[in-house]
Amino acid sequence: MTTATAYPVRKQAESLLTLAGADARRFARHPLYLLAAGVLLFSLVQGVVAKKPTKIGIEETLAPAFLLGVFGFVVAHRLTTSLRRTGDLAETAPINGQRRTAALCLACLVPMTTGALVVLVQVVAAAVWPPTLPGGHVAWFGDEPNTAVWGVLIGDVVLAALGGPLLGVAVARWAPFRGSALLGMVVLTSVAILAQVVPSPWYAFSPWVIFSDAHVVGGEYQTSSILDAVAPLWWCGYAACLCGLAGVAALLRDPGHRGRLIASGAAFAAVGVGFILVAVS
Amino acid sequence: MTSGSARWLLPLAMPAASGGTALVLALTATLLLRGGEVPLFLAHLTVVLLAAGTAYLLDDPAAEATGVVPTPLLTRRLRTLLPGIVVTALAATAVAAVLSSGSPSLPLNLLAWETLGLVALALALSSAFFRHGEPEPGNLVAALLALAVLGTLIAQPALPVDLLATGSDRTIGTGWWAVATAASAAVLVWSSLARTAMSSA
């Protein structure tokens, strides 16, 4: 019997939150995360100073999704594999592998919060200085339904900032071999790119979707709009379920609570399928 | 297989694996997009895979022990680097053949120079991290290289020039990649010689 199983439930929750706090601080202090957050901050400040916080509407979700989602994938992967690199030290802590993984999953709320703040700043700043394009129509509040714009911002930025790191934890737990971070990054970006050639609206099955369409002349954007083949807000539900599946996959690597985890995974999968079918209908 | 040949082949595993993955990616994209061209973004991903595999060639988990052998570090590294670069070159040739068959308008000449430059950069970064005490820099350098290339591709529209091939005339010339390759090779050689000097001091 381990110390963890003899421990009262309340104390287990407290120790999990304490460990999650420590991992969250490690995440927030990681050089790659600081670099990504710094670039985002610079971009936001530059946009606000130029009174153009979002020049072309929702097209600009690509940069925060990459900086928080893909960078976050690598940071979470390295934090997870660091437990293997310091195995002798990690094994002395009175907490099992599944709880350590759960703490790392909770630490992924750091990039998600950053993504939420980025979206908030953009929306508030764009309310003061709305984006304009020569052709008139911009994929933003005012020209597009509010629910659609919020759906794209939440799905493509906030949930990408959560899902990327969670996937990093899952990949590191199941495939800690050399090169798995590189392989994961390439697969993640390849799927998002290749999804664009899948017939509409089934590209929505991709974990990250480009919702916008733009008319460009001579390298200058004329108009931008949200594609109406997929409902962004319903797609957010699908993306959230993918995040849940990534978390469940990470936790399944260790023994314990298998039944509950598999049931949760099945629920996420079923609900996710429901959301995506509604989103594309 | 003797232990001698295993010792010779093991360091080539990562370049071979990443080269193979690049080939699979190129083949998959070409087959899925029959009738259309492979997006340049995906072609760049194959370049990243090819270059990142070479980052593992300098990994030496027993660096503390091997640092005291009489054979110079540069000589020991060349025994791994040369076969590794040959493996990468073979994989790159196969990838280029696949891409050119399905996507004839891809700027393969520019992509070849990018691959060469990024291979040299990966080796230089690995050597620099190794010199600063990281015995297995491959994982870190491979991830950093991929992030740098992907980030550059995304940020390029905001830059005054295109650092990576886009098919436009804003792209920097192959001369810059030749300079970057030479500079990276110089860093690799210098850090290998400097490390040898440190261990013999």
Side-chain angles (χ1 to χ4, degrees), chain A residues 30 32 35 62-63 66-67 70-72 74-75 77-78 81 85 176-183 185-187 189-191 193-194 197-198, chain B residues 10 14 18 21 25 28-29 32-33 39 41-42 45 48-49 52-53 56-57 59 134 136 139-140 142-144 146-148 150-152 154:
Chain A
H30 195 282
L32 283 177
L35 173 64
L62 179 58
F66 171 72
L67 287 166
V70 180
F71 269 71
V74 176
V75 172
H77 189 284
R78 286 193 65 79
T81 52
R85 292 195 293 273
F177 54 79
R178 292 159 72 205
S180 63
L182 171 69
L183 186 63
M185 258 194 286
V186 170
V187 169
T189 45
S190 300
V191 167
I193 298 293
L194 285 172
V197 303
V198 172
Chain B
L10 267 174
M14 286 308 292
S18 65
T21 308
L25 178 61
T28 307
L32 276 177
L33 294 161
F41 199 99
L42 278 180
L45 285 183
V48 166
L49 281 167
Y56 294 87
L57 286 171
D59 283 3
E134 175 56 62
E136 293 181 279
N139 265 341
L140 179 60
L144 287 177
L147 288 173
L150 291 173
T152 303
I154 289 168

Side-chain angles (χ1 to χ4, degrees), chain A residues 101-181:
Chain A
T101 304
L104 282 163
C105 289
L106 286 173
C108 296
L109 293 174
V110 169
M112 188 189 106
T113 307
T114 309
L117 286 173
V118 166
V119 165
L120 209 58
V121 168
Q122 271 191 327
V123 169
V124 168
V128 178
W129 302 290
T132 55
L133 287 174
H137 196 276
V138 184
W140 197 250
F141 299 103
D143 291 343
E144 295 282 353
N146 290 352
T147 50
V149 179
W150 277 117
V152 174
L153 292 174
I154 293 169
D156 271 0
V157 178
V158 180
L159 290 175
L162 174 65
L166 281 176
L167 188 63
V169 175
V171 167
R173 291 297 290 130
W174 284 96
F177 54 79
R178 292 159 72 205
S180 63

Side-chain angles (χ1 to χ4, degrees), chain B residues 8-196:
Chain B
W8 185 81
L9 286 172
L10 267 174
L12 304 182
M14 286 308 292
S18 65
T21 308
L23 187 58
V24 166
L25 178 61
L27 276 168
T28 307
T30 302
L31 289 171
L32 276 177
L33 294 161
R34 263 173 304 183
E37 296 240 335
V38 172
L40 202 43
F41 199 99
L42 278 180
H44 284 298
L45 285 183
T46 64
V47 168
V48 166
L49 281 167
L50 288 165
T54 60
Y56 294 87
L57 286 171
L58 302 185
D59 283 3
D60 185 2
E64 294 295 324
T66 54
V68 299
V69 301
T71 313
L73 179 62
L74 186 60
T75 308
R76 281 187 279 121
R77 279 183 169 174
L78 284 174
R79 287 181 199 153
T80 314
L81 281 179
L82 293 177
I85 288 170
V86 168
V87 167
T88 302
L90 287 172
T93 306
V95 168
V98 168
L99 290 177
S100 66
S101 69
S103 312
S105 71
L106 281 177
L108 288 178
N109 184 41
L110 271 173
L111 288 171
W113 275 103
E114 273 180 29
T115 307
L116 183 63
L118 289 174
V119 163
L121 185 63
L123 291 171
L125 282 174
S126 287
S127 186
F129 278 115
F130 188 92
R131 183 157 181 261
H132 283 89
E134 175 56 62
E136 293 181 279
N139 265 341
L140 179 60
V141 171
L144 287 177
L145 197 72
L147 288 173
V149 170
L150 291 173
T152 303
L153 286 169
I154 289 168
Q156 268 187 162
L159 299 174
V161 291
D162 289 339
L163 297 173
L164 300 170
T166 57
S168 76
D169 49 9
R170 280 179 8 128
T171 312
I172 59 171
T174 55
W176 287 104
W177 283 110
V179 169
T181 302
S184 300
V187 167
L188 172 63
V189 170
W190 169 78
S191 59
S192 303
L193 292 173
R195 177 89 175 178
T196 303

